């Protein structure tokens, strides 16, 4: 066994620990817990499927490795097209497809927060498997950088799609076309951000790329934070979400923020 396995284990598990801690008040809701955990599995399965099936088949069809095509091309347009419409579209599409399948399985298509957490889980599971693949090829130093930057990136890309997916599931019950358009728009934003993120990381000097990527991630995290609370409000609107009072433990299915038994205001997540 490699001598650096404790570091590899820590870097692989740490993002999941941070995510669990950030949403610690949410896990009392069993369906949301299922969505997050199942999303992680779906994302990991998607990563394995892309690595061993889809990407090899696509590269065989094109006759060139995608990384080589990106590195050897002198055209920014070609690099952007590969980054956004191949890598970004395929990876975000795989994570989104896995999340939708999971939500269908657990009966969570009516829960906007479940869609969000499913997408976050998918981004995390995908990133962990991808990071381990890069570690196997390039070593521990690559894993350290990817665990900090790439994992956060995957969470942001998937989180942005999760915000729009949650909104789309809500609005599709009232205005189907608006819901579908919102979902497509969110997917387009996610795959574009993913592609541009990769392009900047590969083509720009570290002194330029790191501040730009850090700024993008911070903005994305802020949008995700606001989107999460908006989805919680949608979840309460029709009274379908069951929650448990943080003070007395009384279950409630009402749309309000206050326990009907003890009056305690419930947290937003």
């Amino acid at each position: 066994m490699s001598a650096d396995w404790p570091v590899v284990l820590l870097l692989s598990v740490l993002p999941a620990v941070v995510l669990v801690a950030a949403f610690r008040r949410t896990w009392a809701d069993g369906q949301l817990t299922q969505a997050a955990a199942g999303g992680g599995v779906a994302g990991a399965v998607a990563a394995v499927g892309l690595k061993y099936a889809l990407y090899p088949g696509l590269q065989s069809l094109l006759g060139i490795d995608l990384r080589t095509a990106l590195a050897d091309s002198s055209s920014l347009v070609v690099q952007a097209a590969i980054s956004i419409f191949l890598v970004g579209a395929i990876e975000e599409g795989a994570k989104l497809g896995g999340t939708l399948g999971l939500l269908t399985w657990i009966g969570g298509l009516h829960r906007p927060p479940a869609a969000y957490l499913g997408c976050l889980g998918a981004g995390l599971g995908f990133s962990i498997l991808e990071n381990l693949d890069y570690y196997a090829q390039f070593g521990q130093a690559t894993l350290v950088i990817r665990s900090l930057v790439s994992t956060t990136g995957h969470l942001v890309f998937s989180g942005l799609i999760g915000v729009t997916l949650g909104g789309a599931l809500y609005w599709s019950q009232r205005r189907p076309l608006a819901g579908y358009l919102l979902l497509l728009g969110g997917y387009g934003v996610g795959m574009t951000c993913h592609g541009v993120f990769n392009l900047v990381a590969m083509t720009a000097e570290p002194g330029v790329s790191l501040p730009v990527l850090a700024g993008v991630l911070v903005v994305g995290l802020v949008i995700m934070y606001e989107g999460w609370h908006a989805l919680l409000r949608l979840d309460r609107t029709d009274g379908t979400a069951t929650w448990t009072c943080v003070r007395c433990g009384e279950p409630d299915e009402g749309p309000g923020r206050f326990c009907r038994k003890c009056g305690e205001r419930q947290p937003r997540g």
Side-chain angles (χ1 to χ4, degrees):
M1 182 177 290
S2 173
D4 57 8
W5 70 266
V7 176
V8 174
L9 180 62
L10 175 64
L11 291 174
S12 299
V13 172
L14 186 59
V17 173
V18 172
L19 190 65
V20 169
F23 290 90
R24 60 192 178 280
R25 294 175 178 172
T26 303
W27 311 131
D29 188 318
Q31 193 171 51
L32 297 188
T33 303
Q34 283 184 316
V41 174
V45 170
V48 172
L50 292 188
K51 173 176 173 55
Y52 292 104
L54 198 150
Y55 274 145
L58 179 61
Q59 290 169 168
S60 176
L61 180 65
L62 297 175
I64 188 172
D65 180 81
L66 292 181
R67 291 177 188 166
T68 303
L70 279 169
D72 291 350
S73 177
S74 59
S75 171
L76 185 62
V77 173
V78 172
Q79 291 176 324
I82 294 174
S83 298
I84 296 172
F85 297 106
L86 282 179
V87 178
I90 289 172
E91 294 189 2
E92 295 308 318
K95 290 186 285 184
L96 176 58
T99 301
L100 287 171
L102 165 72
L103 293 175
T104 301
W105 183 49
I106 67 173
L109 287 172
H110 67 291
R111 302 286 307 277
Y116 180 90
L117 289 173
C119 284
L120 272 189
L124 180 61
F126 189 100
S127 177
I128 290 174
L129 263 291
E130 187 179 58
N131 289 348
L132 290 175
D133 178 48
Y134 272 84
Y135 163 72
Q137 297 182 65
F138 305 111
Q140 183 177 308
T142 299
L143 179 63
V144 173
I145 295 174
R146 290 193 59 85
S147 295
L148 295 174
V149 180
S150 297
T151 297
T152 306
H154 273 289
L155 288 172
V156 168
F157 310 143
S158 296
L160 293 176
I161 293 177
V163 170
T164 57
L165 174 59
L169 293 176
Y170 177 82
W171 286 107
S172 63
Q173 302 174 35
R174 294 156 176 78
R175 298 181 179 85
L177 180 59
Y180 295 137
L181 291 176
L182 181 58
L183 175 57
L184 289 175
Y187 171 58
V189 169
M191 76 177 199
T192 300
C193 289
H194 189 149
V196 172
F197 187 94
N198 287 354
L199 185 63
V200 172
M202 292 186 65
T203 60
E205 294 295 327
V208 175
S209 64
L210 290 178
V212 170
L213 296 180
V216 170
L217 294 180
V218 169
V219 172
L221 290 171
V222 171
I223 294 173
M224 288 166 57
Y225 178 85
E226 296 298 330
W228 166 246
H229 291 95
L231 294 180
L232 283 177
R233 290 191 290 273
L234 293 182
D235 196 41
R236 301 288 191 257
T237 299
D238 57 7
T240 57
T242 301
W243 47 265
T244 302
C245 178
V246 295
R247 174 189 287 177
C248 68
E250 181 73 8
D252 200 328
E253 296 184 356
R257 283 284 178 186
F258 296 88
C259 177
R260 297 180 182 182
K261 181 178 180 180
C262 70
E264 176 73 5
R265 186 180 187 276
Q266 304 306 304
R268 291 184 176 274

